[in-house]
């Protein structure tokens, strides 16, 4: 039996159970290992992401302190040392995205100062930047891509004291060298193992939605978006995993339903969110299978995200409505067709968006228009154009963000080439209401002003 301590350096303080950790914890426990978690979420005294959204008016205000608290006001570093000393892990596993990189880096240093346990980093940022992590003196291993098979093998070999330098998907420091191992084929969800939420504070389940708190579960029916939008890392991920099979793959419907049935009962859920980046990439027969089983066996309201061009077939929308879909988040990004096509590599016309939103409204499904502002070369006029387009679409709600040039995206390269950003990791990229681009045609201050005004431009 190995002892694995997961670290969730959630510096934004927004409660949500990350699928990666919950799935890996469930699998490791299934194989007989001990798992614990160090989670900074409820130690953080600010909920930066949620507070920014409330300030814009795009979400209804909820007394979140009543449910989430105001932060435990503890010393994060000292609490982490205590957790390590009490649990005495064999492996300390960090899930890292670019937003939480600096906190993860600090905690990695503490882990090495406090324990002889191996450290491993996984998640999106290490996957696209493995050299950055493996060349850090506080990191022993990097997991590239999905971690299910790699973590099963790693935990077993640590338990038996066997050599770990040849485990697929891992980049390993070994005898002064760095070994880049081959990649496993994609995880196939066999055998069926449920997410493990026991290691998390149950406050993570409480999500504000339409002005009320709901006990919310996050689930997946698929992994891997097949598109190559310029602001997203999926293009690079498709290249990294080329040759492993179909990048967009689907979880068996029966497995997904059984997991939701179990966790609904255990945690008294009343809302479901699907993490799938494009829920409706599935074919109609699979959608029909899902909707039929979900309606009769789970029977909860649910929220999905999908592309506008997947919402033209009214039959799909009718099935979703009958199954209990209450909101569909649709990636609009910009109201300017040329910006979407030429800059964002998202070739969906305004007519398609208008049809998609109209179809959803016809079946009384609430729509959320996902919008970004502050793109490279964007002007104030373009941002107002986006607001006017949302008004025309009659979007029932907005999800608004200031563009962030993440590593691994085409637009980050564009920003560097144009001198809009420096080629370095920016701690400010995690701040939802702040731009890190310096552009001649549109100042940071103006972007932030328009961010705060955008909701009123649409609805007032």
């Amino acid at each position: 039996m190995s002892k694995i301590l997961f670290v969730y350096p959630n510096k934004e303080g927004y409660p949500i159970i990350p699928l990666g950790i919950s799935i890996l914890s469930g699998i490791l426990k299934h194989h007989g290992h001990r798992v614990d978690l160090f989670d900074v979420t409820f130690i953080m005294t600010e909920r930066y992401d949620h507070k920014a959204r409330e300030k814009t008016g795009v979400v209804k205000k909820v007394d979140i302190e009543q449910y989430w608290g105001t932060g435990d006001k503890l010393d994060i570093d000292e609490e982490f040392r205590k957790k390590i000393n009490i649990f005495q892990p064999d492996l300390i596993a960090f899930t890292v995205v670019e937003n939480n990189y600096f906190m993860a880096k600090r905690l990695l240093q503490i882990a090495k100062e406090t324990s002889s346990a191996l450290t491993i980093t996984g998640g999106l940022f290490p996957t696209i930047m493995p050299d950055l992590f493996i060349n850090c003196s506080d990191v022993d291993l990097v997991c590239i891509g999905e971690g299910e098979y790699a973590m099963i093998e790693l935990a077993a070999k640590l338990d038996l004291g066997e050599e770990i330098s040849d485990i697929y998907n891992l980049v390993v420091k070994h005898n002064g060298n760095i070994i880049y191992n081959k990649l496993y084929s994609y995880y196939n969800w066999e055998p069926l193992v449920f997410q493990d939420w026991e290691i998390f504070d149950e406050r993570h389940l409480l999500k504000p939605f339409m002005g009320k708190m709901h006990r919310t579960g996050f689930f997946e029916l698929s992994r891997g978006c097949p598109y190559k939008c310029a602001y997203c890392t999926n293009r690079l991920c498709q290249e990294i995993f080329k040759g492993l099979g179909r990048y967009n793959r689907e979880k068996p419907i029966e497995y997904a339903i059984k997991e939701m049935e179990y966790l609904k009962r255990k945690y008294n859920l009343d809302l479901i969110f699907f993490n799938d980046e494009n829920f409706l990439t599935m074919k109609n027969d699979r959608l029909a299978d899902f909707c039929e089983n979900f309606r009769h066996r789970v029977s909860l309201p649910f929220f999905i995200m999908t592309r506008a061009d997947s919402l033209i077939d009214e039959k799909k929308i009718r099935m979703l409505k009958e199954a209990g879909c209450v909101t569909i988040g649709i990636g609009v990004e910009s109201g300017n067709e040329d910006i979407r096509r030429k800059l964002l590599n998202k070739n969906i016309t305004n007519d398609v968006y208008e049809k998609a939103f109209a179809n959803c409204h016809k079946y009384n499904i609430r729509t959320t228009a996902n919008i970004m502002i502050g793109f490279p070369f964007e002007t104030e006029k373009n941002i107002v154009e986006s607001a006017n387009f949302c008004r025309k679409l009659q979007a029932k709600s907005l999800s608004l963000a200031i563009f962030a040039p993440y590593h691994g995206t085409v637009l980050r390269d564009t920003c560097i080439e144009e001198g809009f950003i420096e080629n370095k990791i920016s701690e400010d990229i995690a701040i939802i209401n702040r731009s890190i681009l310096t552009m001649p045609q549109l100042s940071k201050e103006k972007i932030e002003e328009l961010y705060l005004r955008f909701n009123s431009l649409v609805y007032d």
Side-chain angles (χ1 to χ4, degrees), residues 102-159:
F102 287 95
M103 177 167 282
K105 188 177 180 181
R106 188 178 94 213
L107 294 177
L108 277 161
Q109 182 179 355
I110 293 170
K112 276 301 178 189
E113 291 170 353
T114 309
S115 171
S116 60
L118 292 175
T119 56
I120 182 170
T121 59
L124 181 59
F125 202 26
T127 291
I128 63 174
M129 299 285 287
D131 292 349
L132 171 71
F133 286 87
I134 201 61
N135 285 304
C136 171
S137 60
D138 299 316
V139 175
D140 298 306
L141 308 155
V142 174
C143 182
I144 297 178
E146 295 176 331
E148 286 89 349
Y149 295 140
M151 289 294 282
I152 291 169
E153 186 175 354
L154 176 59
K157 288 189 170 183
L158 287 175
D159 184 31

Side-chain angles (χ1 to χ4, degrees), residues 59-112:
V59 297
K60 294 180 179 179
K61 288 193 174 183
V62 175
D63 182 9
I64 59 171
E65 286 81 9
Q66 176 186 345
Y67 300 94
W68 294 339
T70 56
D72 296 335
K73 299 179 177 65
L74 300 172
D75 185 298
I76 289 174
D77 298 358
E78 186 57 33
E79 291 302 306
F80 187 38
R81 291 187 186 96
K82 288 180 185 177
K83 174 68 79 171
I84 292 172
N85 288 327
I86 292 170
F87 187 60
Q88 292 291 307
D90 302 300
L91 179 69
I92 305 177
F94 290 74
T95 182
V96 188
V97 294
E98 194 165 345
N99 284 12
N100 65 31
Y101 169 73
F102 287 95
M103 177 167 282
K105 188 177 180 181
R106 188 178 94 213
L107 294 177
L108 277 161
Q109 182 179 355
I110 293 170
K112 276 301 178 189

Side-chain angles (χ1 to χ4, degrees), residues 280 284 287 308-322 328 355-356 358-363 365:
L280 290 179
N284 279 11
L287 178 62
D309 49 9
S310 69
L311 292 166
I312 302 305
D313 182 356
E314 286 191 36
K315 182 180 178 182
K316 289 183 175 181
I317 302 170
R318 187 185 309 114
M319 284 192 286
L320 287 170
K321 176 64 178 179
E322 291 171 354
I328 299 179
K355 179 64 174 173
N359 283 349
C360 294
H361 298 155
K362 178 178 178 180
Y363 291 91
I365 296 178

Side-chain angles (χ1 to χ4, degrees), residues 114-251:
T114 309
S115 171
S116 60
L118 292 175
T119 56
I120 182 170
T121 59
L124 181 59
F125 202 26
T127 291
I128 63 174
M129 299 285 287
D131 292 349
L132 171 71
F133 286 87
I134 201 61
N135 285 304
C136 171
S137 60
D138 299 316
V139 175
D140 298 306
L141 308 155
V142 174
C143 182
I144 297 178
E146 295 176 331
E148 286 89 349
Y149 295 140
M151 289 294 282
I152 291 169
E153 186 175 354
L154 176 59
K157 288 189 170 183
L158 287 175
D159 184 31
L160 297 172
E162 295 180 354
E163 178 59 54
I164 62 170
S165 62
D166 61 348
I167 298 175
Y168 281 19
N169 281 51
L170 296 190
V171 183
V172 185
K173 287 176 179 172
H174 181 68
N175 294 334
N177 298 312
I178 296 175
I179 300 172
Y180 289 77
N181 287 296
K182 295 179 181 179
L183 298 177
Y184 277 114
S185 57
Y186 291 125
Y187 178 59
N188 63 3
W189 290 281
E190 296 283 355
L192 173 59
V193 178
F194 300 143
Q195 294 179 63
D196 173 28
W197 293 350
E198 290 180 356
I199 61 172
F200 291 91
D201 187 312
E202 275 205 33
R203 286 177 289 176
H204 276 293
L205 297 175
L206 299 174
K207 179 177 176 60
F209 179 67
M210 296 181 66
K212 296 180 180 179
M213 276 293 191
H214 294 267
R215 293 183 63 84
T216 308
F218 286 76
F219 298 90
E220 62 179 2
L221 285 186
S222 66
R223 294 183 184 178
C225 174
Y227 299 98
K228 298 181 179 181
C229 300
Y231 52 84
C232 182
T233 58
N234 270 308
R235 174 198 59 84
L236 179 57
C237 289
Q238 289 169 32
E239 293 176 10
I240 292 171
F241 304 118
K242 189 176 182 180
L244 298 185
R246 182 183 173 188
Y247 181 65
N248 174 242
R249 58 263 185 222
E250 298 172 329
K251 184 175 184 176

